[in-house]
Amino acid sequence: MSTAATRPATATAPPASADVVRQVVVVVGAVLAIVLAAVGSGAFGGTSVSGASGGALSADATPIAPATTAFSIWSVIYAGLVAYAVYQALPGQRAVDRHRRLGYWVAASMLLNAAWLFAAVQLGQVWLSVVVIVALLAVLVRIFLLVVRTPTRSWVDAVVTDGTMGLYLGWVSVATAANVAAALVESGFDGFGLPSGLWSTIVLAVAGLSGVAVAVVGRGRIAPMLSLVWGLAWVAVGRFSGQPLDTAAGVTALVAAAVVLVVVVVLRVRAERSGSALAPGEPTRAS
């Protein structure tokens, strides 16, 4: 990676009061995201995400919906967000350039996550939840680009920052496709008379292509691939063993997952052979 395309994650100016404010905002955003996630999951009673909007967002609502087990990845993502909030709040990270660039974007993603739960669960508005999750996806793309352009020199930062944000982006990419499909089904969209299997194939193919794009831009980063492949694999499980049964969607999901996986492996092998593989202390590109 050329030095013109990236900037080292080093302190560029002494810590300022604005840095403290940013750190606090990220921590508050993480707490809010966790609390509302617990509420949205039904941990405190009330309607859960799967039961909201008449079950429009449940695992069996559309051929694009992943099986229920897939959503357990949120526990890993939330743990990563909390870890990032704590890490970036450390005094030694206060003036680090990449946290200055990432902080408010990460906080925005947390607030949009909370807003999605409010729209989907509390308001029961599926189309509003689509607007929110598309905005969340756009923010995560911005975060990913910033992560790519400001590589770290720390293994801890690589795992906490790059790993968390990569998993977050990969999973939300799959969730966005599922959310849009749920909104269309709830609205009575009949696919212009075309078979549902064809629409499922198209949507899942687009999700796979988005994973390929992320892999190319990120030069074979592993974290986004892991969560995206995880989501697609569980879409396949849902279509082969749950309702609605849809063999075409299941096969497409598996093919899309395999393509993303192969592209990431190829990109990383090429990097190794070209001599652009990571040197010790430059773990970010592997995240």
Side-chain angles (χ1 to χ4, degrees), residues 47-239:
T47 305
S48 64
V49 172
S50 61
S53 303
L57 298 170
S58 65
D60 58 0
T62 73
I64 311 298
T68 303
T69 305
F71 296 91
S72 62
I73 195 174
W74 273 118
S75 61
V76 179
I77 294 172
Y78 283 130
L81 289 174
V82 170
Y84 175 78
V86 172
Y87 178 71
Q88 63 85 41
L90 298 175
Q93 301 302 314
R94 187 165 297 159
V96 172
D97 183 60
R98 80 175 343 211
H99 297 315
R100 283 175 166 166
R101 294 172 180 272
L102 286 170
Y104 283 114
W105 287 105
V106 175
S109 77
M110 295 171 177
L111 294 177
L112 283 169
N113 197 352
W116 185 89
L117 287 165
F118 183 77
V121 179
Q122 301 302 321
L123 298 181
Q125 297 294 321
V126 180
W127 275 111
L128 179 57
S129 73
V130 168
V131 173
V132 175
I133 201 169
V134 169
L136 172 58
L137 181 60
V139 167
L140 290 174
V141 168
R142 175 58 178 166
I143 290 172
F144 182 71
L145 292 175
L146 288 172
V147 166
V148 170
R149 293 169 183 169
T150 57
T152 183
R153 300 287 176 174
S154 161
W155 283 102
V156 174
D157 192 32
V159 173
V160 172
T161 304
D162 300 64
T164 297
M165 302 311 155
L167 289 174
Y168 203 180
L169 173 61
W171 172 251
V172 171
S173 298
V174 176
T176 300
N179 203 163
V180 172
L184 289 171
V185 169
E186 189 202 36
S187 300
F189 178 65
D190 64 358
F192 302 115
L194 297 175
S196 62
L198 176 60
W199 281 106
S200 302
T201 298
I202 293 172
V203 173
L204 290 168
V206 171
L209 289 174
S210 71
V212 170
V214 169
V216 171
V217 172
R219 295 171 175 81
R221 287 170 180 255
I222 295 174
M225 177 272 294
L226 289 176
S227 54
L228 192 142
V229 168
W230 168 270
L232 290 172
W234 281 105
V235 169
V237 170
R239 300 296 68 81

